[in-house]
Amino acid sequence: MANLLADLAATLAAGGIETPPADFQTTAEHAAAAGLSVPQAGKILRCGVLAGKVERRNFRIRNGGRVVPVPHYRVIS
């Protein structure tokens, strides 16, 4: 519990910006790696989440001047 609170406090101190781990990628990154369009990759990733083969987490990323939640995906092995 104390570790969770320390992590949350550090996140708030950084303005709510989170750095995703290296194994999480955005839909656009997965699309580029697979040679697919972003909408196609998004549909496949959503199906993977429903099937339990892909994990989805939102990370708060600075986009321009705003901090916005961006979904990232990781293939579960």
Side-chain angles (χ1 to χ4, degrees):
M1 180 73 170
N3 192 21
L4 171 67
L5 293 177
D7 290 344
L8 289 173
T11 300
L12 289 173
I17 298 173
E18 300 173 289
T19 304
D23 54 346
F24 278 91
Q25 296 179 323
T26 64
T27 304
E29 292 169 338
H30 279 288
L36 300 171
S37 69
V38 174
Q40 282 179 310
K43 183 175 181 180
I44 293 168
L45 288 168
R46 284 190 303 274
C47 288
V49 169
L50 292 174
K53 296 183 179 190
V54 177
E55 179 184 358
R56 178 185 188 263
R57 283 186 54 198
N58 282 342
F59 292 97
R60 296 183 58 77
I61 306 293
R62 183 174 303 279
N63 186 3
R66 298 176 46 196
V67 177
V68 295
V70 177
H72 285 67
Y73 298 89
R74 174 178 69 172
V75 177
I76 299 171
S77 43

